[in-house]
Amino acid sequence: GNSVTQMEGPVTLSEEAFLTINCTYTATGYPSLFWYVQYPGEGLQLLLKATKADDKGSNKGFEATYRKETTSFHLEKGSVQVSDSAVYFCALSDLDGQNFVFGPGTRLSVLP
Amino acid sequence: DTGVSQDPRHKITKRGQNVTFRCDPISEHNRLYWYRQTLGQGPEFLTYFQNEAQLEKSRLLSDRFSAERPKGSFSTLEIQRTEQGDSAMYLCASRPRVSPETQYFGPGTRLLVL
């Protein structure tokens, strides 16, 4: 079945540091890939997505590129802020939006 | 429209009691999903509806759980005879016909069973 693996957290960075959170997946066919962010006490918010190979999703300074050859969708940001502190979830779904599968999440803490 | 809403946001109950949660999806989103999220984990799929029809249920959804979406708009999730292991965040998400691969989540209902 489909699955998503993320780097374990917590990840602690200083403000303005570079961020990478690794995500790899196993899936049949050609899934869509997502990053969701969850702030304390809140539900999940869609951060960015990519629906086909080599697509780059971007939002709020975050980027991730759909790499089919390495089955990866790593999240990056050039300069993190304290307000980026949250839990980040990598996820995939098939083209019809079925079989939505989440990774376990990576907690990011950004220190001033 | 401000997005998916859920009610209540928090619920504390005693073991053995029944609880019901409500989800109001983004209007005109035809698909609605329920997930359960425990501490330190990603959401796990429970069930989903297309309009009023419940099309799939996870094996996580024991017979104490029931979900409805009677008019194809809001949905309810009921847990009967709650157990301490039911303590979790229950998330609802809806999905539009356009860009069907994307789900939009509500804020969740946090359940604590004492």
Side-chain angles (χ1 to χ4, degrees):
Chain A
N2 295 347
S3 66
V4 174
T5 302
Q6 290 180 236
M7 64 188 288
E8 288 190 19
V11 174
T12 303
L13 296 173
S14 297
E15 205 166 21
E16 299 184 2
F18 184 85
L19 169 71
T20 299
I21 300 178
N22 290 339
C23 170
T24 57
Y25 67 90
T26 302
T28 55
Y30 302 92
S32 296
L33 301 175
F34 306 84
W35 278 100
Y36 282 84
V37 58
Q38 187 173 35
Y39 299 100
E42 299 185 12
L44 276 72
Q45 299 177 25
L46 177 65
L47 182 59
L48 53 84
K49 68 178 182 182
T51 57
K52 60 183 187 296
D54 299 324
D55 268 3
K56 177 185 286 188
S58 61
N59 185 27
K60 300 180 181 180
F62 292 89
E63 293 183 340
T65 301
Y66 190 141
R67 300 288 189 199
K68 192 168 181 5
E69 63 276 13
T70 55
T71 63
S72 65
F73 193 56
H74 304 322
L75 183 68
E76 296 182 336
K77 187 175 185 181
S79 176
V80 293
Q81 305 300 312
V82 172
S83 57
D84 294 327
S85 298
V87 181
Y88 292 81
F89 293 92
C90 185
L92 66 81
S93 76
D94 60 28
L95 283 178
D96 191 40
Q98 298 311 107
N99 301 313
F100 226 97
V101 176
F102 287 86
T106 302
R107 181 175 298 278
L108 170 66
S109 295
V110 180
L111 305 178
Chain B
D1 189 271
T2 57
V4 179
S5 62
Q6 292 186 245
D7 184 69
R9 293 290 306 275
H10 304 274
K11 179 70 176 178
I12 300 173
T13 191
K14 293 182 180 179
R15 189 175 54 184
Q17 298 295 305
N18 299 343
V19 295
T20 300
F21 310 141
R22 175 178 170 127
C23 171
D24 287 86
I26 295 171
S27 56
E28 298 185 358
H29 280 197
N30 62 331
R31 292 201 182 189
L32 185 150
Y33 298 76
W34 285 99
Y35 292 85
R36 183 174 71 186
Q37 185 182 20
T38 53
L39 202 61
Q41 300 297 317
E44 297 174 293
F45 169 78
L46 292 178
T47 187
Y48 90 91
F49 293 82
Q50 179 165 303
N51 301 314
E52 65 276 8
Q54 188 173 17
L55 296 186
E56 188 174 342
K57 291 192 289 187
S58 163
R59 63 180 183 276
L60 294 175
L61 212 67
S62 76
D63 57 5
R64 296 185 297 106
F65 288 69
S66 62
E68 295 183 343
R69 194 183 183 197
K71 298 181 179 179
S73 56
F74 73 91
S75 175
T76 58
L77 177 69
E78 181 183 16
I79 309 174
Q80 296 182 327
R81 305 181 303 281
T82 53
E83 302 173 355
Q84 288 183 327
D86 297 331
S87 297
M89 174 82 89
Y90 290 85
L91 295 168
C92 175
S94 68
R95 209 190 83 185
R97 290 185 176 86
V98 178
S99 296
E101 74 284 351
T102 303
Q103 296 191 8
Y104 296 87
F105 283 82
T109 295
R110 185 171 294 283
L111 173 66
L112 177 60
V113 182
L114 301 177

